[in-house]
Amino acid sequence: MSEKRILMSGNEAIAEGAIRAGCAFYAGYPITPQNELIAYMAKNMPKAGRVFIQAESELAAINMVYGASAAGFRAMTSSSSPGISLKQEGISYISGAQLPAIIVNIMRGGPGLGNIAPAQSDYFQATRGGGHGDYRLIVLAPASVQEAYDLTREGFALADKYRIAVMILGDGVLGQMMEPVTLAGKNAGKPLPKRWALTGCKDRKPNVVKSFFMAEGGLEKANLDLQKKYKIIEKKEKRYEGLFLKDAELILVAYGTTARIAKNALFRLRGKGRKVGLIRPISLWPFPADAFRMPGRKARYLTVEMSYGQMVEDVKLSSGCAEVDFLGRSGGGIPGEEEIVNKVNRMMI
Amino acid sequence: MKKIFTRPEALKDAPNHYCPGCGHGIAHRLIAEIVDETGIRERVIGVAPVGCAVVAYDYWNFDCSEAAHGRALAVATAIKRLRPQNIVFTYQGDGDLAAIGTNETIHAANRGENLTVIFINNAIYGMTGGQMAPTTLVGQKTATTPSGREGKGHGYPLKISEILSLLPGVCYVERVSFQDPQHVLKAKAAIKQAFLNQIKGQGFSLVEILSPCPTYWGMSPKDALDWTRDVMQKEFPLGKIK
Ligand SMILES: Cc1ncc(C[n+]2csc(CCOP(=O)(O)OP(=O)(O)O)c2C)c(N)n1
Ligand code: SF4
């Protein structure tokens, strides 16, 4: 495997990460700002002997991923906000049937058709459910092209390990910006043996992949099994990056693209002697609550998002602070470095 | 002594939940017999619908997947593409295949997916309590067309098989009926053809079965069979469409 650094967009890095993680099946439907991803897959999946399908809709694409995963293969779909709304049916079925899958959401403005500008306003949809039923997705939020590549690969391993759908949550900036990437990094692991998969019932009892449990108590038991699995994931799979947390009096909280802007603001503020820190959640579910629970910390929190405060709730719950400040825009605007610096300066007078 | 009638190995020894006189039980058995006869039980993968046949996998003795309502052909497409050596079929009602799943149906057919589709046309939504289906006949009373279906406004009976037969990706389409034992044998021959086509790699094959739903047609099982012959067939003529 090449250790060379090559220049790629976030969309392409996710696609390449998937291919190198052994993704055997991809189905998608065009939508901006993730079109580079589907084009990359169209070009490179067949070359690698894998299956690429341009589906007739996002609904068909996610249900194809359901079938591919049921057949025991690593599978992925990608889209942007309106398309992800359409996929919610399949995501719920995939969760109910405990199938591993990767779903990429390169977020754009909403609600409705919104616009094609970058946004982070699908946070609730990604972390709270989106589709029907008591289920969770592991949600990973890369902040650089390299991390988009790495987390996609890691996502496949997590999906297999827990038989769960993993969402890679990026935005239009991350999807389209170009950065150098090292195409190696963390191992996605060999696909685990899938004894439950549909392969034909040679030398064994028939397998059934389903999310339907009609018998008395059947669904409750299945749901409790899911909850047990989610508890383990909450315990083991929280990820975040923390900067200057030891002495911070004010902690910025941001993920993905806004975390990069917040980081720049942080260095400027530190340069002026402001005791500012940063928590960058990498897993949005499970939310890295531990990062907010350092004994003796008395910091205030300021979340920075390209949404109208969808993450604030999680910061409040994790930190136990009743008041959490917020700076954000969505619908086209990106909170700027200057805005963050000014807001912090006002808060720290 | 020679045993001339027995349960196919591809059918589990399980009581089914279908109403007396329902066509689903017959269709399940025919598929199981064909799976045995073609020797594919260990490599067949069925995709069950959402509809009265939602738990078809409780009756078939081979690998099966559930699919969301209408999405069976999207699910089957992926399975077959990844496992071309397996024999993959979908089993779908008229609501599943020709209303909520029309898009998945038409595009799987148009891509010429090498799949077998068993399409149960009972002109009604059985599972949800007898509402209008896309195939409900004009004049037919259902829970949602209490005064009978009118073409204008409710829509005319949708001839999805004829529509699909126009697509170059489609290999074989035939409409059969369960009205009497002779026709059941003909239905079996058509279903077998649809499986053999896939085994030979010939592409998308669909068999539409006019299948009785005595419960929501408000008829005895015998009258329901006669109705498929005397009434339903006028709208949905039997025979090979493609
Ligand atoms: C998304 C969604 N919408 C509606 C339903 C409810 N529903 C279940 S089966 C069905 C119709 C079944 O009719 P058909 O496909 O003709 O099969 P039948 O029961 O007649 O065999 C409907 C509307 C559902 N399960 N999922
Ligand atoms: S409601 Fe109709 S289709 Fe459903 S099991 Fe009863 S007879 Fe069969």
Side-chain angles (χ1 to χ4, degrees):
Chain A
M1 213 173 276
S2 135
E3 292 281 337
K4 224 174 55 192
R5 279 155 68 83
I6 59 170
L7 203 62
M8 292 181 117
S9 70
N11 283 326
E12 291 167 333
I14 291 170
E16 184 60 33
I19 292 171
R20 288 182 184 236
C23 178
F25 184 94
Y26 171 93
Y29 187 86
I31 183 168
T32 308
Q34 61 85 58
N35 289 320
E36 298 79 13
L37 205 168
I38 179 170
Y40 195 95
M41 290 307 241
K43 188 169 164 208
N44 294 299
M45 285 288 275
K47 275 193 205 159
R50 321 284 174 79
V51 180
F52 166 87
I53 297 182
Q54 177 172 337
E56 57 271 31
S57 70
E58 289 85 351
L59 213 46
I62 189 73
N63 283 287
M64 286 176 187
V65 164
Y66 175 103
S69 185
F73 292 87
R74 285 186 165 172
M76 180 169 100
T77 184
S78 66
S79 188
S80 177
S81 310
I84 297 293
S85 292
L86 213 47
K87 286 189 198 292
Q88 294 302 329
E89 172 192 86
I91 295 174
S92 167
Y93 275 72
I94 282 170
S95 303
Q98 301 211 50
L99 293 172
I102 302 287
I103 299 139
V104 182
N105 182 4
I106 302 299
M107 291 179 279
R108 60 186 253 179
L113 195 53
N115 63 15
I116 60 169
Q120 293 180 321
S121 43
D122 302 347
Y123 182 93
F124 279 151
Q125 188 197 48
T127 59
R128 301 299 194 267
H132 61 287
D134 277 305
Y135 74 88
R136 293 287 193 176
L137 308 177
I138 294 179
V139 183
L140 303 177
S144 69
V145 176
Q146 181 70 55
E147 201 177 31
Y149 173 84
D150 291 337
L151 287 180
T152 302
R153 290 164 58 75
E154 203 175 336
F156 276 97
L158 289 171
D160 269 7
K161 181 172 176 192
Y162 294 107
R163 293 185 59 179
I164 195 170
V166 175
M167 179 171 277
I168 307 295
L169 192 70
D171 62 74
V173 173
L174 181 82
Q176 300 192 320
M177 89 187 154
M178 306 281 285
E179 281 183 331
V181 187
T182 305
L183 295 180
K186 262 205 171 152
N187 204 331
K190 279 236 160 13
L192 297 175
K194 292 166 177 166
R195 277 182 295 274
W196 45 266
L198 307 177
T199 59
C201 62
K202 192 164 164 49
D203 303 324
R204 60 160 170 77
K205 283 203 174 127
N207 282 341
V208 175
V209 170
K210 61 166 188 162
S211 65
F212 187 55
F213 303 94
M214 268 301 261
E216 175 96 27
L219 180 60
E220 192 163 5
K221 190 191 163 299
N223 278 339
L224 287 171
D225 285 349
L226 286 182
Q227 291 306 313
K228 218 187 275 168
K229 172 167 90 176
Y230 298 151
K231 281 270 160 359
I232 296 171
I233 295 171
E234 274 188 286
K235 219 174 182 172
K236 292 191 166 170
E237 304 299 349
K238 293 193 281 268
R239 288 157 169 71
Y240 71 96
E241 180 190 358
L243 282 177
F244 300 105
L245 294 181
K246 274 213 180 89
D247 66 342
E249 289 162 8
L250 187 150
I251 295 174
L252 301 168
V253 188
Y255 69 95
T257 294
T258 39
R260 295 168 70 111
I261 303 165
K263 208 185 261 184
N264 291 344
L266 165 82
F267 286 124
R268 266 175 65 185
L269 287 158
R270 277 272 163 184
K272 294 268 184 287
R274 294 280 193 208
K275 290 197 170 157
V276 179
L278 171 75
I279 294 174
R280 175 173 75 89
I282 297 172
S283 59
L284 301 183
W285 195 87
F287 194 74
D290 318 25
F292 297 84
R293 288 184 194 142
M294 301 292 172
R297 183 191 292 162
K298 284 202 191 69
R300 299 164 68 183
Y301 292 94
L302 171 63
T303 80
V304 186
E305 299 176 63
M306 281 188 277
S307 87
Y308 287 102
Q310 294 189 23
M311 192 172 58
V312 170
E313 239 170 57
D314 279 338
V315 176
K316 279 187 185 171
L317 286 169
S318 302
S319 65
C321 298
E323 290 294 325
V324 165
D325 281 278
F326 163 71
L327 173 68
R329 300 171 68 180
S330 101
I334 301 179
E337 202 177 303
E338 199 65 33
E339 274 176 87
I340 300 171
V341 169
N342 291 341
K343 172 104 181 176
V344 170
N345 281 332
R346 282 199 302 277
M347 283 173 72
M348 293 187 94
I349 285 169
Chain B
M1 212 198 305
K2 195 173 167 220
K3 214 173 182 181
I4 56 163
F5 189 79
T6 184
R7 185 173 45 78
E9 195 188 356
L11 208 57
K12 282 182 195 158
D13 188 9
N16 74 43
H17 71 286
Y18 299 117
C19 310
C22 174
H24 279 304
I26 307 172
H28 285 17
R29 184 182 171 98
L30 293 183
I31 291 168
E33 286 178 1
I34 289 160
V35 164
D36 276 14
E37 288 164 17
T38 49
I40 57 172
R41 195 186 73 85
E42 295 186 332
R43 63 181 175 122
V44 74
I45 299 173
V47 182
V50 174
C52 280
V54 64
V55 294
Y57 44 71
D58 284 350
Y59 310 135
W60 286 320
N61 187 24
F62 45 75
D63 277 12
C64 285
S65 181
E66 159 193 280
H69 193 22
R71 319 289 172 232
L73 276 163
V75 172
T77 291
I79 299 174
K80 182 70 185 181
R81 292 281 193 107
L82 288 160
R83 296 199 173 279
Q85 299 311 317
N86 288 83
I87 302 304
V88 184
F89 75 94
T90 69
Y91 182 102
Q92 301 177 259
D94 39 51
D96 197 81
L97 181 137
I100 195 165
T102 316
N103 207 27
E104 285 75 10
T105 303
I106 289 189
H107 287 279
N110 195 43
R111 288 189 303 265
E113 301 293 345
N114 189 24
L115 293 168
T116 302
V117 182
I118 309 305
F119 168 31
I120 306 295
N121 177 359
N122 60 10
I124 200 98
Y125 281 11
M127 191 188 203
T128 38
Q131 298 87 353
M132 180 182 74
T135 47
T136 291
L137 301 187
V138 169
Q140 190 182 334
K141 288 188 175 154
T142 71
T144 48
T145 54
S147 320
R149 184 180 198 178
E150 289 171 32
K152 258 201 170 137
H154 297 144
Y156 294 90
L158 190 72
K159 295 198 181 67
I160 189 88
S161 291
E162 278 82 351
I163 295 172
L164 294 175
S165 72
L166 299 174
L167 304 174
V170 171
C171 158
Y172 168 68
V173 184
E174 180 153 354
R175 186 179 288 120
V176 297
S177 155
F178 281 165
Q179 66 202 43
D180 55 38
Q182 289 77 17
H183 280 84
V184 171
L185 288 178
K186 277 193 190 167
K188 182 174 172 183
I191 297 171
K192 194 164 187 172
Q193 184 65 51
F195 274 94
L196 290 174
N197 289 343
Q198 182 182 163
I199 292 167
K200 291 186 216 142
Q202 288 174 343
F204 193 91
S205 300
L206 178 143
V207 178
E208 171 178 344
I209 303 168
L210 306 188
S211 174
C213 172
T215 303
Y216 291 114
W217 294 356
M219 295 175 197
S220 70
K222 165 79 175 71
D223 289 347
L225 289 177
D226 292 347
W227 196 77
T228 56
R229 181 190 62 212
D230 300 333
V231 183
M232 235 182 136
Q233 256 189 56
K234 294 216 169 75
E235 185 66 39
F236 296 106
L238 302 188
K240 194 168 160 182
I241 302 169
K242 183 170 187 178

